[in-house]
Amino acid sequence: MRKLSLLFAGALMGASAMSLVYGTPGSAANAAGSETYKQLAIFGDIFERVRAQYVTPPDDKSLVENAINGMLASLDPHSSYMNAEQAQDMRVQTKGEFGGLGIEVTMENDLVKVITPIDDTPAAKAGVLAGDYIAKIDGEEVRGLTLNDAVDKMRGLVNTPIKLTILRQGADKPIELTVVRDIIKVKAVKFRVENDIGYMKITSFTEKTYDDLENAIDTIKKQVPDDKLKGYVLDLRLNPGGLLDQAVSVSDAFLNRGEIVSTRGRDPKDVTRFDAKPKQVDDINGKPMIVLVNGGSASASEIVAGALQDLRRVTVVGTQSFGKGSVQTIIPLGENGALRLTTALYYTPSGKSIQGKGITPDIKVDQPLPPELQGRDLTRGESDLKGHIKGADESTTGSGSAAYVPPDPKDDLQLIYAEQLLRGQKTDPSFPPNPQKAVLNQ
């Protein structure tokens, strides 16, 4: 599976599976016992000996950061320390607006390959084309750099220029382009009309997701008369998650009642429930909907799929989802960055934990791999992560499945199956679901 990166002033929409809620600095902590302070004294002694006696002078800041991350990594795969730069990157990503060029890129043949320039962005206006290879960034060779390194080189302030040296098929010499960085508003929801079906793909849950979803629904309604619209496909495949509140808002758009999700912390009394707003009809007027999931559907996307499935609002099609059912609180540490700490697990309306299990589709539809990917393991799942928190409903089967979606919809068997269900060309006992048989936590 190609490793893709969205470049917006060098910001990467990472494929980490996480839901975010924001904490505040200065959170209270329990006082440590005397034995704990003895252990901390040992740490201090080792730290000083390393500084004084290691064969080469170590960087103090790096030592401390690695020690902190070592402590957090021993807890679970999703708790970590972010330095000031990483914390800022995280805030930028979740905001859904980036200062940059507006191109989607990957690494190929040791060069940065442009997958596509986003319409009406600096890159598109400057003449960057899909298929272009970026060979130099401000005169520096791209060869030898990782994708992340190359992206870092393209970071910069809004209204600052960057010079790209591009290799283009058919051109007899390299092309020099100067692009002026600008604010790029990333669409968290991509949508289109498939004749009589509205297709909506949520790529991540940023601050813009719910607004983008409402715009997609409104546009589809205008393009297809209500009496002609068979229903909707909500594609959550390869969606790594994002903001918890956005997952709740997206779920609420398709519901008119019921609990969406609950989170439970260490204290048995620490339970938070999120409910749909009572209303006569949901935002798609009760039209049938299919939700697509696979091994790349994690965290916030599993909240949405689990809520809509348990309340019998949708039929879920695809393969087992990733199985990340934990909530990370982002605790700001001022100029020192932020702490990302797992503070709760979330549960679907039926009271089931997704952690280490994932969402099991109502209708399993496998997506074959193309010849060039056959033999490679594209399976993704929380249960495979070292040190993951074992979920209450986790079994030996584990979670996850192949995280692959064909680039051409004509090869997308899961999407084709969903559309055939909506059009009545295929039938299944799971479709349409019966809301009267919603599975609720008692």
Side-chain angles (χ1 to χ4, degrees), residues 41-62:
I42 295 174
F43 171 80
D45 182 45
I46 293 174
F47 177 75
E48 288 302 329
R49 288 182 181 275
V50 170
R51 293 181 69 230
Q53 300 177 17
Y54 188 66
V55 64
T56 57
D59 178 72
D60 289 358
K61 183 179 179 181
S62 178

Side-chain angles (χ1 to χ4, degrees), residues 3 5 12 146-153:
K3 181 179 180 182
S5 167
L12 285 173
T146 66
L147 181 60
N148 287 351
D149 290 337
V151 166
D152 286 340
K153 296 291 182 185

Side-chain angles (χ1 to χ4, degrees), residues 232-287:
Y232 294 81
V233 173
L234 181 66
D235 193 347
L236 298 177
R237 295 172 299 175
L238 303 184
N239 183 317
L243 298 175
L244 175 61
D245 65 331
Q246 290 291 308
V248 171
S249 296
V250 167
S251 302
D252 190 25
F254 306 112
L255 297 169
N256 57 10
R257 65 182 180 91
E259 179 183 304
I260 293 172
V261 67
S262 64
T263 63
R264 307 176 193 179
R266 181 166 66 180
D267 187 338
K269 298 178 182 179
D270 184 13
V271 178
T272 304
R273 301 185 188 280
F274 300 87
D275 297 320
K277 300 181 185 71
K279 46 186 178 284
Q280 289 297 112
V281 66
D282 61 34
D283 293 4
I284 58 173
N285 302 321
K287 289 284 187 181

Side-chain angles (χ1 to χ4, degrees), residues 3-209:
K3 181 179 180 182
L4 298 181
S5 167
L6 293 182
L7 169 63
F8 307 106
L12 285 173
M13 289 298 294
S16 59
M18 58 185 290
S19 298
L20 302 178
V21 293
Y22 289 94
T24 55
S27 299
N30 294 326
S34 59
E35 185 61 31
T36 301
Y37 283 115
K38 289 180 182 178
Q39 297 299 318
L40 287 174
I42 295 174
F43 171 80
D45 182 45
I46 293 174
F47 177 75
E48 288 302 329
R49 288 182 181 275
V50 170
R51 293 181 69 230
Q53 300 177 17
Y54 188 66
V55 64
T56 57
D59 178 72
D60 289 358
K61 183 179 179 181
S62 178
L63 284 177
V64 173
E65 286 190 7
N66 286 324
I68 293 171
N69 270 319
M71 173 179 62
L72 295 170
S74 70
L75 300 176
D76 72 276
H78 307 297
S79 294
S80 65
Y81 166 71
M82 295 177 284
N83 60 31
E85 182 179 345
Q86 293 166 336
Q88 176 60 23
D89 283 349
M90 182 274 299
R91 287 190 288 269
V92 169
Q93 290 181 42
T94 57
K95 187 177 181 181
E97 290 184 358
F98 306 87
L101 309 182
I103 51 177
E104 183 178 333
V105 298
T106 187
M107 201 66 146
E108 189 174 293
N109 299 324
D110 294 327
L111 299 176
V112 174
K113 182 180 180 180
V114 178
I115 302 302
T116 183
I118 300 172
D119 292 339
D120 200 31
T121 61
K125 293 176 181 177
V128 177
L129 302 178
D132 283 349
Y133 287 90
I134 300 174
K136 294 181 181 180
I137 301 169
D138 281 335
E140 183 175 345
E141 291 281 351
V142 168
R143 291 186 187 276
L145 300 177
T146 66
L147 181 60
N148 287 351
D149 290 337
V151 166
D152 286 340
K153 296 291 182 185
M154 288 186 268
R155 288 180 175 177
L157 300 174
V158 172
N159 294 326
T160 60
I162 180 171
K163 185 177 180 181
L164 303 178
T165 302
I166 289 175
L167 306 181
R168 180 176 295 166
Q169 187 174 4
D172 55 2
K173 62 180 181 179
I175 299 170
E176 303 283 350
L177 292 178
T178 298
V179 185
V180 179
R181 300 175 177 95
D182 199 355
I183 293 292
I184 310 298
K185 294 185 178 181
V186 184
K187 290 294 184 183
V189 181
K190 300 178 180 179
F191 66 94
R192 63 179 182 267
V193 169
E194 297 274 0
N195 298 317
D196 52 1
I197 292 173
Y199 171 85
M200 301 177 294
K201 179 178 180 59
I202 300 180
T203 57
S204 62
F205 288 86
T206 70
E207 293 177 11
K208 306 291 184 183
T209 301

Side-chain angles (χ1 to χ4, degrees), residues 353-374:
S353 169
I354 298 170
Q355 178 66 14
K357 180 177 177 59
I359 299 296
T360 302
D362 300 302
I363 305 173
K364 183 180 179 182
V365 178
D366 289 311
Q367 178 63 55
L369 297 178
E372 65 270 20
L373 294 180
Q374 289 180 6

Side-chain angles (χ1 to χ4, degrees), residues 73-78 381-389:
S74 70
L75 300 176
D76 72 276
H78 307 297
E382 175 81 6
S383 60
D384 295 326
L385 297 181
K386 183 180 179 181
H388 79 280
I389 298 172

